[in-house]
Amino acid sequence: MPILDGESLDSWLETLGRRNGLTLSAFLRVLGMPRHHLTRLLVSTPPVSVLRELEIRTGLPAGRLDQAVIGSDFPFGPRRQRRCRFCPQCLAEREGRWLRKWWLPWTFACATHEALLHDTCPGCGKGVRVRLPGHTLRFPAGTCTLGSRLTSVCGTDLTSADLLPLDSDHPLFAAQHRVDVLLATPSTAGTVLADLNQCTPWLMHTIDDNDLQTMCRTVQERWRRRPLATRTPADRVKPLDAAVSGVITHAALAFLDTPDDALAVHAVHGLRSRRDTPNKVIPKGMTAEQWSRLSPGTRRRFLHAGDQIMGALDRVRFSSSTPRARVPEPGDRSASARIRNVPQLISPGWTVRLMPQEGMQENLFRGIAAALLLLPGEPVLRARGVTDRLAPHLPNAMTVTLQRALKSGHPDVLAALCNLAHYLDDHGSPIDYERRRCLVPAAPITPDQWRELCFRTGTQPGEQLSAKTTQAPRYLNAQRYLNQLLTGADLTDPRHPLALRSAPDRSRYFAFPPSLTLDQRDALHRHALGVLHDLNIDEPLAWEPPQQCADGLDLPGRRLDDIDLEEVRRVVITEQRAPREAARELDTTLTHIRFALEQIPHEPREWGRFSSVGSWRLHQQAKKVLTADFLQREYVDGDKTLTRIARETDIPRHIAVVQARALGFTVRRTRKPFPVDETWLREQYLTLKRSTLDIAEELGTEDETVRRRLKHLNVPLRPPGVHSRTIMTKIDTSLPRDVRSAVEGTLHGWLRLHRFHIAMRFPSLDSAACHLKTEPNALVTQFRRLERDIGKRLFTRAAFGRPQQPSPQGRRLLRYLETNRVQALMTASLPHDHIHAPPDDHVLEAAHAKFRTRRNPGPPTPFDDIAVERIRITRPTLVLLHDLLARPNQEFYGAEVIARTGLDPGTVYPRLKRLEQAGWLTSRLEDDNTWMNRATPGRGPGKRRTFYTLTAEGHRAAQHETQHRTAA
């Protein structure tokens, strides 16, 4: 009995069984094939080994039966076709033999007879061939054999069912033809039909009666009776009628099976615009799970179609306005890696192009625009969780910024931001801003370097930093300028050492770059390159993405170089008008004018002889004229005064004095200094340890003269007092040895004994420190020194419920301190303000009462950069965290944790709930299939399990807590 072309495996096996006088069930048993209660399983899931063996036993060529089955990898979807559709005419012409394609869920029409396929038996109204056909020997082929007993079998002749004719130009025939062409290429068909499965619930809610006007009344009536989506499990979803499948296929192939993206996006946009609500990424009627299972190409078309519907931040995150629209995958690190190439402020050229002309502060826009460059392709949904990595100081104004840009009539700002991010992903940046933010110092130029730079370029350095300074000096603004030039830093960030502190401070800084002369600006840039060279950074000084990223886009501003600098000079510098007037006259923004002013060179002033610039020039002249040889010849050997030399060289005397001292010459103001042999003086003071007074008496001069000469010789002077010599007070040897060990050869020994004597009356060091008006840490340090000097442990520290106690050696020391002789020596040795009276009974009673009261611990200190609530860590909680970290990506339930850790259930479950409330864990209830499968036979399944999973932030928090604590 040969298998027909296009015949399904179940039909052929039924025919073979009839040929051999056996029912299909008995025939499968003879063949040794697995028996299923569903007929479809013979077509969709037969093992390959069974097919090969069956081909051998029936004499078929190898691989022939592969054409009679569908295969388990076919995208059946949740609405699995458990029943088999059929065409009555085809069934009659093939003598009751069934086609394989009738089992496919997206085969709904017969092109041969121009009719819809039947879904159910016209006699019993139920699905055909759902269960394995029975009583096949009592009924001819092509008969409905549904029924468990012979008397209840339907017996309807399916070949006599009425045809459901359609016109030859019916849209469903075109849709069926496209499906048949798709099935010829399984790889393409798998993707398209899988997407069709996920889009089906959305299309069932979106397609309306207007879409069915070109279709016949039969299709329209069956569409109205379609089963709407319910909250039932996927395996219980009702199958679709052939007409409903055809309508859905016809609508879906318009955007699923077309190479033209523009047509596909237009089709999706027409459907989405009917029911979608604003700020929605996933179409209304499609679940998040269905959305996640769509292919990347289909999701890209949905994003393009919903670009005008989604929120501004989502449009940037998904790049929906660009050809590279996509949904970020979990764990995608491209956006996180982009932070190295992004400064805190977007570059000036792109600021001018992207910033709206009104309603936006420049610094706020530049900071938020730079932070938004981290958003495209970022899987983290919370925008602040992304942008806080770069600029946590910025307010939550990202949405407002984008909305103002959109309201300005320039929606292409979003596309430009996405294009910039994609350019950085593809080509990177020649500047590693992350490295510069770490390495470049906050003050990249020293005061001396700034003064030297200004004087060399013929400009004033401005006032120096001092306590009397009332305005921001130019030196501070020069530091800010260089730091921002090198790192792209946002100076409104309060964490920055050079942050702008007020509105006037900000205005003065904005006025600083335009005030630089061309030579001064070039010198600052050369200095910045030198800073990079010293840090071994081989990068350009500044860089910004090319303007080609905005080709074809309508942006609010012009290019940075698209402005007449001469007109700007005329209005702002020559006519002394406000920059805002220049912006209005030149039809641009104030920001554009401000950046243009930085490109206009300023002519340096001519400074007088007595200005700071003139003084610097005189110093440079002195260095050239008053050389070491010249001063040796004229000043030392020629015995000329510096006043005469200054008059002859036309250099002020005070500058000549500075130059002479810089070259190491001794400047004489009066008579020659007292003659002293330097070698002899060093020997007497350093080797023989003689005092300056003793040496002065021998030389017949003053003590201060000797001290000045020693300073001139760079000899370090010994400080007066006990710190300069090893002389310590010796006390009476008849005192107890512990007292002498604590006092002799040390400073403040009596103070430590006095405080120990009083502290041992209190229950703890905290209460003793309060009475002694000091800190507990100070007492701990002093008592440790006391124990080290005596060489014995003197007391035991307090714990809750157990006050501090002196050791036997400590009690003996306290007895020594109680004696009158020791008390007298202690009182005489201590200053008056260091002596404290012993505490009275009232003070001691209050200290003991406070010690016995347990204080409730306060809330845990929040984490610095982990976005979960911090909880108090106990020993069971620490054991639980160690167990979770050993399996970070696995789901678990409470009983597993109890079995692994040995913790009590009353300990584990409350802690799991607390961790979930704090954001460390996520949970889900056990699904229906697993819950029912583990039920004990004859009894119910019991309580559902709750599965927990450690979140990414919870994993970081758990690692932090386990690294800083031990299980003990």
Side-chain angles (χ1 to χ4, degrees), residues 335 337-346 369-374 390 421 424 429 431-434 437 487-488:
R338 198 182 305 137
I339 193 173
R340 306 192 66 86
N341 301 326
V342 178
Q344 276 191 304
L345 293 179
I346 198 168
L372 285 172
L373 293 180
L374 304 179
L390 183 67
L424 294 177
S429 169
I431 296 178
D432 188 345
Y433 288 100
E434 187 73 17
R437 284 190 284 265
T487 66

Side-chain angles (χ1 to χ4, degrees), residues 202 265 268-284 301-315 318 320 403 406 414:
W202 169 64
V265 170
V268 176
H269 180 73
L271 293 170
R272 291 199 65 169
S273 60
R274 298 176 181 177
R275 300 176 57 87
D276 276 1
T277 54
N279 302 326
K280 287 280 290 184
V281 178
I282 302 176
K284 187 176 181 180
R301 291 175 172 179
F302 270 88
L303 291 176
H304 284 315
D307 180 56
Q308 302 300 322
I309 301 175
M310 295 185 295
L313 288 180
D314 286 332
R315 294 172 67 181
F318 301 129
S320 57
Q403 288 175 350
L406 296 175
L414 305 185

